[in-house]
Amino acid sequence: MGRLVFGGSFNPVHIGHMRVAIEALHFLAGLADTLEFLPSAAPPHKPCVPMLPFALRIRLIEAAIRSCKGMLCDPVEGNRPGLSYTWDTLRLLGQRHGAANLYFLLGSQDFDLLPEWYRGMELAGLCNLVIVPRGDYAREDFLASCQNFWPGALEPDQKYECMDATVRVYKPRAGYKVYFLPVPFLEISATHIRKIWLCQGNLDYLVPAPALEILRRERDIVDACWREKKC
Ligand code: ATP
């Protein structure tokens, strides 16, 4: 059985991430039965974002997923020095677990930026990609991006039904499959969470309760990190 890998900075993990993780496992039932959060130790695209220490971001994820069946947290990116490139990690995980059984999950906003990632266009050659919408991103937007990234697909618009919803599948000529899951979008971002925190707002029901408890316990570190002006 395959595994989903959910990369990101998780600074901090929030309920938008949790719902995406739950729904992705649901829509890919039969293909993947575990989901691993893969926090980025040094996210290449966020040099100016004040980041909680990697170990603390991991603690938050572990607390958030404690009662979630099939969810794990993989700290592998903490073992490499320098920027954490997804290409390096997926290549390693593909060698370890088999590329055909690997499903890399990401939001549409990040999917559309793949050409700016290190070897971003090659990620579909390392594993399957799974896209969930952010904002009002529709099936047409997904197909347009796929056709732009990998023209001349073998199967441009395959689909299957799952619980009254349609999962779209694009098969690039070279590489694995790209899935588009119709997951309801929750308008939540870690940027928004950090803003609320910094003006002493209430984060109940935006951050999973066990993770929020840790944030509050580590208030001094969290304040210092998120207040830092990096650029
Ligand atoms: P930030 O606001 O700091 O940029 P973020 O909330 O976008 O952070 P990340 O840790 O960068 O969170 O996200 C990890 C992955 O989860 C990315 O692929 C991102 O697109 C996706 N994601 C984050 N929030 C949502 C959401 N509300 N709905 C769908 N996908 C999301």
Side-chain angles (χ1 to χ4, degrees), residues 6-12 14-17 20 46 49 51 105-111 117 132-135 183-192 194:
F6 192 15
S9 44
F10 304 108
N11 179 42
H14 53 69
I15 62 148
H17 299 130
V20 161
K46 299 190 175 174
V49 176
M51 200 64 66
L105 174 61
L106 74 171
S108 57
Q109 209 177 25
D110 292 285
F111 177 57
W117 289 27
V132 293
R134 272 188 105 168
V183 170
F185 171 59
L186 298 180
E187 195 164 348
I188 297 166
S189 68
T191 304
H192 187 54
R194 294 192 296 275

Short mmCIF file of all heavy atoms in Angstrom, two decimals, residues 6-12 14-17 20 46 49 51 105-111 117 132-135 183-192 194, ligand 1:
data_model
loop_
_atom_site.label_atom_id
_atom_site.label_comp_id
_atom_site.label_asym_id
_atom_site.label_seq_id
_atom_site.Cartn_x
_atom_site.Cartn_y
_atom_site.Cartn_z
N PHE A 6 3.26 14.78 2.99
CA PHE A 6 2.71 16.14 3.01
C PHE A 6 3.81 17.10 3.43
O PHE A 6 4.12 17.23 4.61
CB PHE A 6 1.53 16.17 3.99
CG PHE A 6 0.66 17.40 3.92
CD1 PHE A 6 0.73 18.29 2.85
CD2 PHE A 6 -0.24 17.66 4.93
CE1 PHE A 6 -0.09 19.42 2.80
CE2 PHE A 6 -1.07 18.77 4.90
CZ PHE A 6 -0.98 19.65 3.82
N GLY A 7 4.43 17.74 2.44
CA GLY A 7 5.54 18.66 2.73
C GLY A 7 5.05 20.06 3.04
O GLY A 7 3.95 20.45 2.64
N GLY A 8 5.87 20.81 3.77
CA GLY A 8 5.53 22.20 4.06
C GLY A 8 6.37 22.73 5.20
O GLY A 8 7.18 21.98 5.78
N SER A 9 6.19 24.00 5.52
CA SER A 9 6.98 24.51 6.65
C SER A 9 6.25 24.28 7.98
O SER A 9 6.87 24.23 9.03
CB SER A 9 7.33 25.99 6.44
OG SER A 9 6.22 26.69 5.97
N PHE A 10 4.93 24.19 7.95
CA PHE A 10 4.14 23.92 9.16
C PHE A 10 4.61 24.84 10.31
O PHE A 10 5.04 24.39 11.36
CB PHE A 10 4.21 22.43 9.54
CG PHE A 10 3.76 21.54 8.42
CD1 PHE A 10 4.66 20.78 7.70
CD2 PHE A 10 2.43 21.52 8.04
CE1 PHE A 10 4.25 19.99 6.63
CE2 PHE A 10 2.00 20.72 6.97
CZ PHE A 10 2.92 19.96 6.27
N ASN A 11 4.44 26.11 10.09
CA ASN A 11 4.98 27.16 10.96
C ASN A 11 3.88 28.07 11.45
O ASN A 11 3.87 29.24 11.11
CB ASN A 11 6.04 27.95 10.15
CG ASN A 11 6.66 29.07 10.93
OD1 ASN A 11 6.98 28.93 12.10
ND2 ASN A 11 6.85 30.23 10.29
N PRO A 12 2.85 27.55 12.19
CA PRO A 12 2.74 26.21 12.73
C PRO A 12 1.74 25.38 11.92
O PRO A 12 1.08 25.90 11.02
CB PRO A 12 2.13 26.48 14.11
CG PRO A 12 1.14 27.58 13.82
CD PRO A 12 1.79 28.43 12.75
N HIS A 14 -1.77 23.84 11.23
CA HIS A 14 -3.09 24.41 11.54
C HIS A 14 -4.19 23.46 11.01
O HIS A 14 -3.89 22.45 10.36
CB HIS A 14 -3.22 25.83 10.98
CG HIS A 14 -2.92 25.99 9.52
ND1 HIS A 14 -3.72 25.47 8.53
CD2 HIS A 14 -1.88 26.61 8.87
CE1 HIS A 14 -3.21 25.77 7.35
NE2 HIS A 14 -2.08 26.46 7.51
N ILE A 15 -5.42 23.84 11.26
CA ILE A 15 -6.49 22.89 10.91
C ILE A 15 -6.73 22.81 9.40
O ILE A 15 -7.30 21.84 8.93
CB ILE A 15 -7.82 23.19 11.65
CG1 ILE A 15 -8.34 24.56 11.26
CG2 ILE A 15 -7.68 23.06 13.15
CD1 ILE A 15 -9.84 24.61 11.27
N GLY A 16 -6.24 23.80 8.64
CA GLY A 16 -6.27 23.67 7.17
C GLY A 16 -5.44 22.47 6.76
O GLY A 16 -5.87 21.64 5.94
N HIS A 17 -4.25 22.33 7.34
CA HIS A 17 -3.39 21.17 7.04
C HIS A 17 -4.08 19.87 7.48
O HIS A 17 -4.05 18.87 6.76
CB HIS A 17 -2.07 21.25 7.81
CG HIS A 17 -1.21 22.44 7.49
ND1 HIS A 17 -0.68 23.26 8.46
CD2 HIS A 17 -0.79 22.94 6.29
CE1 HIS A 17 0.05 24.21 7.88
NE2 HIS A 17 -0.01 24.05 6.57
N VAL A 20 -6.89 18.81 5.16
CA VAL A 20 -6.35 18.34 3.88
C VAL A 20 -5.80 16.92 4.06
O VAL A 20 -6.02 16.04 3.22
CB VAL A 20 -5.24 19.31 3.39
CG1 VAL A 20 -4.35 18.64 2.37
CG2 VAL A 20 -5.87 20.57 2.79
N LYS A 46 11.17 30.47 1.61
CA LYS A 46 10.68 31.33 2.68
C LYS A 46 11.83 31.93 3.49
O LYS A 46 11.82 31.88 4.72
CB LYS A 46 9.73 30.54 3.59
CG LYS A 46 8.51 30.03 2.83
CD LYS A 46 7.43 29.45 3.71
CE LYS A 46 6.21 29.09 2.89
NZ LYS A 46 5.18 28.39 3.61
N VAL A 49 10.64 34.52 6.09
CA VAL A 49 9.58 34.18 7.05
C VAL A 49 10.21 33.80 8.39
O VAL A 49 11.10 32.94 8.45
CB VAL A 49 8.73 32.99 6.52
CG1 VAL A 49 7.69 32.58 7.56
CG2 VAL A 49 8.06 33.37 5.21
N MET A 51 10.74 31.78 11.33
CA MET A 51 10.40 30.35 11.43
C MET A 51 10.63 29.82 12.84
O MET A 51 11.68 30.08 13.43
CB MET A 51 11.33 29.64 10.43
CG MET A 51 10.95 28.28 9.94
SD MET A 51 9.45 28.17 8.97
CE MET A 51 9.77 29.07 7.48
N LEU A 105 1.76 15.35 -1.59
CA LEU A 105 0.55 16.18 -1.48
C LEU A 105 0.93 17.66 -1.38
O LEU A 105 1.80 18.02 -0.58
CB LEU A 105 -0.17 15.72 -0.20
CG LEU A 105 -1.40 16.45 0.30
CD1 LEU A 105 -2.52 16.40 -0.74
CD2 LEU A 105 -1.87 15.80 1.61
N LEU A 106 0.26 18.51 -2.17
CA LEU A 106 0.51 19.95 -2.01
C LEU A 106 -0.69 20.78 -2.46
O LEU A 106 -1.52 20.32 -3.27
CB LEU A 106 1.79 20.39 -2.72
CG LEU A 106 1.92 20.52 -4.22
CD1 LEU A 106 3.25 21.18 -4.57
CD2 LEU A 106 1.89 19.16 -4.87
N GLY A 107 -0.79 21.98 -1.89
CA GLY A 107 -1.88 22.88 -2.23
C GLY A 107 -1.67 23.47 -3.62
O GLY A 107 -0.54 23.56 -4.10
N SER A 108 -2.78 23.90 -4.26
CA SER A 108 -2.72 24.38 -5.65
C SER A 108 -1.81 25.60 -5.80
O SER A 108 -1.13 25.76 -6.82
CB SER A 108 -4.12 24.72 -6.15
OG SER A 108 -4.73 25.66 -5.31
N GLN A 109 -1.80 26.45 -4.76
CA GLN A 109 -0.95 27.65 -4.79
C GLN A 109 0.51 27.25 -5.00
O GLN A 109 1.22 27.84 -5.81
CB GLN A 109 -1.09 28.28 -3.42
CG GLN A 109 -0.94 29.75 -3.33
CD GLN A 109 -1.20 30.16 -1.86
OE1 GLN A 109 -1.04 29.37 -0.91
NE2 GLN A 109 -1.57 31.39 -1.67
N ASP A 110 0.93 26.23 -4.25
CA ASP A 110 2.32 25.77 -4.37
C ASP A 110 2.53 24.97 -5.65
O ASP A 110 3.58 25.06 -6.27
CB ASP A 110 2.69 24.94 -3.13
CG ASP A 110 2.74 25.81 -1.89
OD1 ASP A 110 3.70 26.56 -1.76
OD2 ASP A 110 1.80 25.78 -1.09
N PHE A 111 1.52 24.22 -6.05
CA PHE A 111 1.62 23.46 -7.30
C PHE A 111 1.91 24.41 -8.47
O PHE A 111 2.80 24.15 -9.29
CB PHE A 111 0.31 22.71 -7.53
CG PHE A 111 0.24 21.95 -8.83
CD1 PHE A 111 1.19 20.98 -9.14
CD2 PHE A 111 -0.78 22.19 -9.74
CE1 PHE A 111 1.12 20.27 -10.33
CE2 PHE A 111 -0.85 21.49 -10.93
CZ PHE A 111 0.10 20.53 -11.23
N TRP A 117 10.56 25.90 -8.27
CA TRP A 117 11.22 25.02 -7.30
C TRP A 117 12.47 24.41 -7.93
O TRP A 117 12.55 24.27 -9.16
CB TRP A 117 10.31 23.87 -6.89
CG TRP A 117 9.14 24.24 -6.03
CD1 TRP A 117 8.49 25.45 -5.98
CD2 TRP A 117 8.45 23.38 -5.11
NE1 TRP A 117 7.45 25.38 -5.10
CE2 TRP A 117 7.40 24.14 -4.55
CE3 TRP A 117 8.61 22.05 -4.71
CZ2 TRP A 117 6.52 23.60 -3.60
CZ3 TRP A 117 7.74 21.52 -3.78
CH2 TRP A 117 6.72 22.29 -3.23
N VAL A 132 -4.49 19.65 -3.94
CA VAL A 132 -5.78 20.06 -3.36
C VAL A 132 -5.95 21.56 -3.61
O VAL A 132 -4.97 22.31 -3.64
CB VAL A 132 -5.85 19.77 -1.84
CG1 VAL A 132 -5.83 18.28 -1.56
CG2 VAL A 132 -4.72 20.46 -1.08
N PRO A 133 -7.21 21.99 -3.83
CA PRO A 133 -7.41 23.40 -4.16
C PRO A 133 -7.19 24.34 -2.98
O PRO A 133 -7.49 24.00 -1.84
CB PRO A 133 -8.87 23.45 -4.61
CG PRO A 133 -9.51 22.24 -4.03
CD PRO A 133 -8.44 21.22 -3.81
N ARG A 134 -6.65 25.51 -3.28
CA ARG A 134 -6.62 26.62 -2.30
C ARG A 134 -7.29 27.78 -3.02
O ARG A 134 -7.02 28.03 -4.18
CB ARG A 134 -5.20 27.00 -1.95
CG ARG A 134 -4.66 26.20 -0.80
CD ARG A 134 -3.32 26.72 -0.33
NE ARG A 134 -3.42 27.45 0.92
CZ ARG A 134 -2.39 27.80 1.66
NH1 ARG A 134 -1.17 27.49 1.29
NH2 ARG A 134 -2.55 28.44 2.80
N GLY A 135 -8.19 28.47 -2.34
CA GLY A 135 -8.95 29.53 -3.00
C GLY A 135 -9.96 28.90 -3.94
O GLY A 135 -10.36 27.75 -3.75
N VAL A 183 -11.21 18.66 -2.47
CA VAL A 183 -11.28 18.87 -1.02
C VAL A 183 -11.83 20.28 -0.76
O VAL A 183 -11.35 21.24 -1.37
CB VAL A 183 -9.85 18.74 -0.43
CG1 VAL A 183 -9.80 19.18 1.01
CG2 VAL A 183 -9.35 17.32 -0.59
N PRO A 184 -12.80 20.42 0.14
CA PRO A 184 -13.32 21.77 0.43
C PRO A 184 -12.20 22.66 0.98
O PRO A 184 -11.43 22.22 1.82
CB PRO A 184 -14.39 21.54 1.51
CG PRO A 184 -14.66 20.08 1.50
CD PRO A 184 -13.46 19.38 0.93
N PHE A 185 -12.14 23.89 0.50
CA PHE A 185 -11.05 24.79 0.91
C PHE A 185 -11.40 25.53 2.20
O PHE A 185 -12.48 26.10 2.33
CB PHE A 185 -10.80 25.81 -0.22
CG PHE A 185 -9.86 26.91 0.19
CD1 PHE A 185 -8.57 26.63 0.62
CD2 PHE A 185 -10.27 28.24 0.16
CE1 PHE A 185 -7.70 27.64 1.01
CE2 PHE A 185 -9.40 29.26 0.54
CZ PHE A 185 -8.12 28.96 0.96
N LEU A 186 -10.49 25.50 3.14
CA LEU A 186 -10.64 26.30 4.37
C LEU A 186 -9.66 27.47 4.27
O LEU A 186 -8.46 27.26 4.12
CB LEU A 186 -10.30 25.46 5.60
CG LEU A 186 -11.16 24.24 5.88
CD1 LEU A 186 -10.69 23.52 7.13
CD2 LEU A 186 -12.62 24.66 6.04
N GLU A 187 -10.17 28.65 4.40
CA GLU A 187 -9.32 29.83 4.18
C GLU A 187 -8.48 30.12 5.43
O GLU A 187 -8.76 31.04 6.20
CB GLU A 187 -10.20 31.03 3.82
CG GLU A 187 -9.35 32.14 3.26
CD GLU A 187 -10.17 33.18 2.53
OE1 GLU A 187 -11.35 32.93 2.26
OE2 GLU A 187 -9.58 34.22 2.23
N ILE A 188 -7.44 29.30 5.59
CA ILE A 188 -6.56 29.41 6.77
C ILE A 188 -5.13 29.27 6.28
O ILE A 188 -4.85 28.41 5.45
CB ILE A 188 -6.86 28.26 7.75
CG1 ILE A 188 -8.29 28.37 8.28
CG2 ILE A 188 -5.87 28.26 8.92
CD1 ILE A 188 -8.75 27.12 8.97
N SER A 189 -4.26 30.10 6.81
CA SER A 189 -2.84 29.95 6.48
C SER A 189 -2.02 30.15 7.75
O SER A 189 -2.50 30.79 8.72
CB SER A 189 -2.42 30.97 5.43
OG SER A 189 -2.46 32.26 5.99
N ALA A 190 -0.80 29.64 7.74
CA ALA A 190 0.08 29.84 8.89
C ALA A 190 0.41 31.33 9.04
O ALA A 190 0.58 31.82 10.16
CB ALA A 190 1.34 29.01 8.72
N THR A 191 0.47 32.04 7.93
CA THR A 191 0.73 33.50 7.98
C THR A 191 -0.35 34.18 8.83
O THR A 191 -0.04 35.01 9.70
CB THR A 191 0.69 34.09 6.55
OG1 THR A 191 1.62 33.38 5.75
CG2 THR A 191 1.00 35.57 6.54
N HIS A 192 -1.59 33.80 8.57
CA HIS A 192 -2.71 34.37 9.31
C HIS A 192 -2.63 33.99 10.80
O HIS A 192 -2.85 34.82 11.69
CB HIS A 192 -4.01 33.87 8.67
CG HIS A 192 -5.23 34.50 9.21
ND1 HIS A 192 -5.41 35.86 9.27
CD2 HIS A 192 -6.35 33.95 9.75
CE1 HIS A 192 -6.58 36.12 9.82
NE2 HIS A 192 -7.17 34.99 10.12
N ARG A 194 0.04 33.32 12.52
CA ARG A 194 1.13 34.07 13.18
C ARG A 194 0.68 35.51 13.48
O ARG A 194 1.00 36.07 14.52
CB ARG A 194 2.39 34.08 12.31
CG ARG A 194 3.01 32.70 12.12
CD ARG A 194 4.40 32.77 11.51
NE ARG A 194 4.44 33.30 10.17
CZ ARG A 194 4.25 32.60 9.05
NH1 ARG A 194 3.98 31.30 9.12
NH2 ARG A 194 4.31 33.18 7.86
P1 ATP B 1 2.47 30.18 5.21
O1 ATP B 1 1.22 31.01 5.37
O2 ATP B 1 3.48 30.37 6.30
O3 ATP B 1 3.08 30.33 3.83
P2 ATP B 1 0.85 27.78 4.83
O4 ATP B 1 -0.35 27.92 5.68
O5 ATP B 1 0.69 27.96 3.35
O6 ATP B 1 2.07 28.64 5.37
P3 ATP B 1 2.62 25.49 4.58
O7 ATP B 1 3.25 24.81 5.73
O8 ATP B 1 3.48 26.27 3.68
O9 ATP B 1 1.39 26.34 5.17
O10 ATP B 1 1.78 24.45 3.75
C1 ATP B 1 2.09 23.11 3.54
C2 ATP B 1 1.23 22.61 2.39
O11 ATP B 1 -0.15 22.72 2.77
C3 ATP B 1 1.38 23.44 1.11
O12 ATP B 1 1.32 22.56 0.01
C4 ATP B 1 0.17 24.36 1.14
O13 ATP B 1 -0.25 24.77 -0.16
C5 ATP B 1 -0.87 23.47 1.81
N1 ATP B 1 -1.87 24.24 2.55
C6 ATP B 1 -1.67 25.06 3.59
N2 ATP B 1 -2.83 25.56 4.04
C7 ATP B 1 -3.79 25.05 3.26
C8 ATP B 1 -5.23 25.20 3.21
N3 ATP B 1 -5.88 25.99 4.05
N4 ATP B 1 -5.89 24.51 2.26
C9 ATP B 1 -5.23 23.71 1.37
N5 ATP B 1 -3.89 23.52 1.38
C10 ATP B 1 -3.18 24.19 2.30
#
